[in-house]
Amino acid sequence: MKRNLLYSLLLLSSALVGFTSCNDDEFGDTIFPEVSDKLDPTSATFPLDTFLMANYLIPYNMRFDYKMSDTEVNMEYNLIPASYEKSVDMAVLTKYLWYDVYEAIIDRATGDARDEFFMKRYGPKMIMLVGSPAINEASGTEERGLAEGGVKITLYAVNELDVNNMDDLNDLFFRTMHHEFNHILNQSVAMPDDFQEISSGSYDPMNWQTKEDIVARTSGFITAYASKDYSEDFVEVIANYVVSTPEQWERYLLEATRGYEEVDVNASEITQARNDGTFIMITETTNDVTGRPSVYKVLRYTVERDENGTPLRDDEGNLIYVDSDALDGRALIEQKLAKCREYLMTYFAIDMDDLRREVLGKMYVVDADGNPVMQDDAYINKLLQPTVSDPTVTVIDSLRTQVTRFEDYAEQLQNQQQ
């Protein structure tokens, strides 16, 4: 029975999932031979387990683990497993927004660097899902993902996945996927030696978590985390670029040209601080003996001011920003982006702009030129839009069907066993 089940799965992976076997003798048999013998059609998780075998184990020789084995996670964190429903969404979205994206890019690539086995060769051998975030209480930071030795990627906070909010999906998962995957590529082919020289002396491995992203940008780092060290800097540039629309990326570069400062204001000054056009956020609040806020630490743009502290404006009414750190953050980020472009194209035949168009076209509704369109001042989440083949079915529901259709297959197998 077990042999018949595995053979049926192999047929399904070709007929239903579109997997086509090819001559890749340099890759041996699966490193997970026991998995195929454990699929039980009476199990409630059989549909997802079958989808994972057909879409990850067979074509890529990798395990997608959503059951969170104790031996595979850092037990120093207080972690819980991902729910089955969220695991289904993460499994289909990982394929849709990561694996399928790179497969499409490689298919269009030309030249000697084109590698038809790219994802099988460089993809992780395990993806681990964890339901809860990994909070480091000592530093107050949250770990979004983890790449271990080019073999395994762990994705945290899966139970927070919300397909209705593309911004959160990017922040929690998709950016992390590209970040961690490029760590794996760097372990296979080292990043350019001169990349670390661009911001040499500016990295801050001990205090990066105390910075805001917009402040880090003015020093030439696309995020605060990028300022930790040059390896994080490199993959953060790639990950943020490919999930950002052209408008979003340009806003980051604009922020990189400005200066920022933190100032203390008392309770009576906070309203004025909010209204002078330079206010960004309150970063810290100090309470008095009664427990009421007395001092606010405010992050604001550095601008030219008159003798009364009032912001000055140009003839068109715009604030006059002052880049107080004497660094051209925009130029530094653009220099890093150029290095990343060259690296991916030279060693992996990946065009970063092509990669971004592919990603954005799967995340958002786009126009004929591939640019995301807006409605009510927001980009349109493609996952919630109807499919071309059936206007009554959304894209995310269509993706989920790739798993749920195996429910009928489970019933057929159970009938055969009777």
Side-chain angles (χ1 to χ4, degrees):
M1 178 58 203
K2 289 178 179 177
R3 288 184 178 178
N4 291 336
L5 173 57
L6 179 57
Y7 180 69
S8 298
L9 288 173
L10 288 168
L11 291 178
L12 274 174
S13 68
S14 296
L16 296 181
V17 188
F19 168 69
T20 304
S21 61
C22 49
N23 184 11
D24 56 343
D25 292 339
E26 65 178 287
F27 298 102
D29 295 334
T30 175
I31 61 175
F32 306 117
E34 77 282 1
V35 175
S36 60
D37 292 332
K38 292 184 178 180
L39 293 183
D40 178 4
T42 66
S43 169
T45 64
F46 178 83
L48 178 55
D49 295 335
T50 309
F51 170 84
L52 295 176
M53 171 174 279
N55 288 274
Y56 290 100
L57 180 63
I58 293 173
Y60 299 113
N61 195 26
M62 60 83 66
R63 171 183 280 168
F64 195 109
D65 192 344
Y66 63 95
K67 297 180 180 179
M68 203 185 85
S69 169
D70 289 350
T71 60
E72 295 292 347
V73 296
N74 186 345
M75 297 308 294
E76 293 181 3
Y77 294 121
N78 184 18
L79 304 173
I80 62 174
S83 72
Y84 180 80
E85 291 76 15
K86 297 298 184 181
S87 296
V88 168
D89 281 356
M90 183 57 77
V92 297
L93 288 173
T94 298
K95 181 177 184 296
Y96 175 71
L97 280 162
W98 179 5
Y99 277 72
D100 289 355
V101 164
Y102 280 97
E103 289 287 12
I105 297 302
I106 292 299
D107 283 345
R108 294 197 289 267
T110 59
D112 295 339
R114 183 181 182 277
D115 185 354
E116 61 181 310
F117 304 123
F118 176 79
M119 288 306 295
K120 188 170 185 178
R121 189 186 310 278
Y122 296 110
K125 294 309 173 190
M126 177 182 287
I127 294 176
M128 166 71 71
L129 303 187
V130 178
S132 54
I135 305 295
N136 187 324
E137 296 183 359
S139 64
T141 58
E142 177 181 337
E143 195 164 45
R144 301 285 180 86
L146 179 65
E148 300 179 55
V151 175
K152 171 185 168 185
I153 287 179
T154 302
L155 298 172
Y156 296 101
V158 172
N159 289 342
E160 298 179 15
L161 186 154
D162 179 6
V163 298
N164 298 293
N165 191 324
M166 188 58 70
D167 288 339
D168 281 353
L169 286 174
N170 262 336
D171 288 340
L172 286 171
F173 306 111
F174 304 151
R175 184 181 293 107
T176 300
M177 290 177 188
H178 292 288
H179 175 112
E180 301 301 344
F181 183 51
N182 277 277
H183 272 312
I184 291 178
L185 295 183
N186 293 166
Q187 291 169 1
S188 301
V189 179
M191 69 183 71
D193 290 336
D194 55 354
F195 180 88
Q196 58 187 299
E197 298 174 4
I198 298 174
S199 288
S200 178
S202 296
Y203 292 106
D204 190 0
M206 302 302 296
N207 300 303
W208 64 266
Q209 65 269 23
T210 65
K211 303 175 184 176
E212 299 292 337
D213 287 343
I214 56 175
V215 177
R217 286 179 191 128
T218 195
S219 298
F221 302 104
I222 194 61
T223 63
Y225 190 49
S227 68
K228 180 181 179 181
D229 59 55
Y230 67 88
S231 62
E232 300 298 347
D233 193 6
F234 190 86
V235 298
E236 276 288 273
V237 170
I238 296 174
N240 280 271
Y241 184 78
V242 299
V243 301
S244 298
T245 68
E247 293 82 6
Q248 289 170 333
W249 185 257
E250 179 58 30
R251 186 177 74 245
Y252 296 155
L253 296 182
L254 181 61
E255 291 171 350
T257 66
R258 299 175 177 175
Y260 304 87
E261 60 186 0
E262 281 190 314
V263 295
D264 291 337
V265 296
N266 60 39
S268 64
E269 296 170 327
I270 188 63
T271 301
Q272 178 182 352
R274 288 182 183 274
N275 294 336
D276 73 357
T278 68
F279 175 85
I280 300 171
M281 68 179 72
I282 296 173
T283 59
E284 185 179 332
T285 302
T286 302
N287 295 334
D288 60 22
V289 293
T290 67
R292 296 178 180 178
S294 59
V295 177
Y296 299 87
K297 189 175 290 294
V298 172
L299 178 65
R300 67 184 186 184
Y301 297 117
T302 305
V303 298
E304 291 187 12
R305 296 175 179 270
D306 63 19
E307 63 276 8
N308 298 318
T310 302
L312 298 177
R313 297 177 182 272
D314 61 21
D315 293 340
E316 296 180 354
N318 300 314
L319 290 168
I320 305 172
Y321 297 98
V322 178
D323 190 357
S324 50
D325 63 7
L327 291 173
D328 188 342
R330 181 182 186 121
L332 292 173
I333 293 173
E334 289 181 329
Q335 189 177 351
K336 293 173 183 178
L337 179 62
K339 292 291 183 183
C340 292
R341 287 183 195 275
E342 181 181 8
Y343 169 84
L344 288 179
M345 178 57 72
T346 300
Y347 296 107
F348 304 107
I350 293 175
D351 182 317
M352 277 187 66
D353 290 298
D354 194 18
L355 179 62
R356 180 166 72 166
R357 281 190 294 269
E358 189 72 26
V359 170
L360 295 180
K362 288 180 176 293
M363 293 195 303
Y364 303 112
V365 175
V366 298
D367 61 22
D369 296 323
N371 297 312
V373 298
M374 301 190 79
Q375 181 178 340
D376 298 328
D377 296 324
Y379 297 108
I380 305 172
N381 185 341
K382 188 172 182 177
L383 297 177
L384 308 181
Q385 301 306 302
T387 60
V388 175
S389 59
D390 187 349
T392 67
V393 177
T394 64
V395 171
I396 185 60
D397 286 335
S398 177
L399 294 174
R400 289 166 176 158
T401 301
Q402 296 178 25
V403 175
T404 58
R405 63 186 173 185
F406 285 115
E407 294 173 359
D408 293 337
Y409 181 56
E411 184 176 349
Q412 293 174 18
L413 290 177
Q414 292 179 58
N415 292 335
Q416 292 175 13
Q417 290 177 326
Q418 295 176 354

